[in-house]
Amino acid sequence: MHRLVLAPILGFFTILTITACQSKPPTCGDESTQTELRKAIIEEIEKKASQLPFGEHLATNQNFQIFLAGIKITLSEITSDGYNAEAKKYSCQTKINISGSGIPDLPSEKISFSNQSTEDSGPPGWVLQLNDNTPLVSKLAQIALNVSSAQNSSNGQSNLPFVERLYLAQQAAKNTDSSQSVTTPFGTLSISDEKKLLFNGVPTDPVLEGNSNLSFLDKKSLNGQSVILVQNTGGTACPATFTFVQLSAAGAKLSKEFGTCSDLYQLEQVGGKLTLTLPGFTGPYEPESAQQQAAKKKVIYTLEGGVLSEDGKPM
């Protein structure tokens, strides 16, 4: 009698054990985990890029898809923070390094992720999730947009609205790392903790002080001088104004602050002339139709022979 009862119990216990083992997700370093992690990172880059201004066009952008396909993700130092048997979840960490065509040298970055079993009866029966907002992924999203827009521009794809082309050209020209100083043959411009512009450690005359922040956008060599384009970041009512800083052996000379309040710009140099093109701007509390109409307007600022002009008129 005992034998008849014991056999089914043991058989039932064995089935439960096998089922429990099968429902456990793969470990952090498993090959299937690494494959899914690379896929998740690419999907996150694609998602974040599409959320950037004008990024909604990227889904059908061939250059963008080629860029994504060319990304190489190297994983190292994969570790586990433990397994939660109740949640059927591994908590994991790894260092990632990303390389590929159009991608600058970027430092490796540690990310965390998890593997967790699901109730789905079909394969794979588990899901991988990135646990945090990874700065490296956000940076790659912007680089992806930059590379795609630059290639579109070189291919003559200029059928986008003016303000959108301006944004994409601006982003494509940006460095991936912002700096609080810029060095020239005549000295160094920097930004103090009080958001003041400094030349060789001393506030400029006149003083240029940031509203929210000051940033260096571009540096050009013009008629034996170094010319730095500085942006003064404001708020929603007026996002930005600009200043040309001309550096020479005589010191630093600042132009008037200028702009339309838009923070979108395109800077070009032809010979001894700099041209900064901005869209028009109206505040966020104006009707949307008025904002769109203003953005269609082009305002052109030039710096030539030390003279700043707006639409051909000296300022």
Side-chain angles (χ1 to χ4, degrees):
M1 181 175 180
H2 286 290
R3 291 178 182 175
L4 292 175
V5 174
L6 184 59
I9 291 175
L10 288 174
F12 180 67
F13 179 76
T14 303
I15 291 172
L16 284 179
T17 303
I18 293 173
T19 303
C21 290
Q22 288 177 336
S23 65
K24 197 173 183 179
T27 60
C28 298
D30 190 89
E31 193 63 38
S32 61
T33 298
Q34 296 184 47
T35 299
E36 284 300 308
L37 179 57
R38 291 186 177 94
K39 179 181 175 182
I41 292 171
I42 295 296
E43 289 176 349
E44 190 68 11
I45 292 172
E46 186 172 16
K47 174 184 173 183
K48 287 186 178 296
S50 68
Q51 293 171 344
L52 291 169
F54 311 116
E56 64 271 13
H57 300 295
L58 290 175
T60 57
N61 186 307
Q62 185 179 5
N63 292 324
F64 178 65
Q65 298 303 326
I66 292 173
F67 176 85
L68 291 179
I71 292 177
K72 180 182 178 182
I73 301 174
T74 303
L75 307 176
S76 62
E77 300 180 25
I78 304 173
T79 59
S80 171
D81 294 333
Y83 178 70
N84 185 326
E86 184 177 353
K88 299 179 182 178
K89 180 172 74 172
Y90 280 108
S91 296
C92 314
Q93 292 188 45
T94 185
K95 277 189 175 180
I96 61 171
N97 183 270
I98 299 182
S99 58
S101 177
I103 300 176
D105 290 334
L106 298 172
S108 59
E109 187 171 299
K110 181 170 283 189
I111 65 169
S112 61
F113 63 97
S114 63
N115 278 356
Q116 186 170 17
S117 295
T118 66
E119 299 298 328
D120 298 338
S121 57
W126 58 278
V127 62
L128 183 144
Q129 182 176 357
L130 295 174
N131 293 343
D132 45 23
N133 186 16
T134 307
L136 184 58
V137 171
S138 298
K139 185 174 290 186
L140 259 294
Q142 184 65 70
I143 292 172
L145 179 62
N146 296 354
V147 170
S148 301
S149 61
Q151 290 174 341
N152 284 345
S153 178
S154 65
N155 292 337
Q157 299 180 17
S158 58
N159 58 334
L160 297 175
F162 161 68
V163 68
E164 184 166 339
R165 296 201 313 271
L166 203 58
Y167 171 83
L168 294 175
Q170 169 188 334
Q171 293 300 318
K174 276 188 175 180
N175 293 323
T176 56
D177 295 310
S178 59
S179 175
Q180 290 294 101
S181 66
V182 58
T183 301
T184 76
F186 308 104
T188 300
L189 281 179
S190 59
I191 301 167
S192 72
D193 293 338
E194 293 77 26
K195 304 173 187 175
K196 291 182 180 179
L197 183 65
L198 308 178
F199 180 52
N200 292 333
V202 179
T204 56
D205 183 17
V207 173
L208 179 59
E209 185 171 358
N211 291 317
S212 297
N213 192 29
L214 292 177
S215 54
F216 302 117
L217 300 182
D218 211 331
K219 178 174 72 172
K220 301 291 186 184
S221 180
L222 189 71
N223 300 326
Q225 298 181 332
S226 294
V227 180
I228 316 300
L229 179 62
V230 179
Q231 178 178 291
N232 190 343
T233 303
T236 55
C238 186
T241 57
F242 301 88
T243 301
F244 281 121
V245 182
Q246 303 166 74
L247 302 180
S248 66
K253 178 184 176 183
L254 277 65
S255 73
K256 294 180 179 179
E257 278 196 80
F258 64 92
T260 63
C261 279
S262 174
D263 58 356
L264 303 182
Y265 70 93
Q266 184 173 28
L267 180 64
E268 299 174 297
Q269 179 177 2
V270 177
K273 179 180 178 181
L274 292 179
T275 300
L276 189 74
T277 305
L278 305 176
F281 181 87
T282 188
Y285 303 110
E286 297 296 325
E288 185 175 349
S289 58
Q291 296 181 44
Q292 293 175 349
Q293 188 63 32
K296 294 178 182 179
K297 180 183 178 183
K298 293 183 184 180
V299 182
I300 298 176
Y301 296 90
T302 58
L303 181 68
E304 186 174 20
V307 178
L308 179 66
S309 300
E310 178 182 344
D311 288 336
K313 298 179 181 179
M315 297 178 63

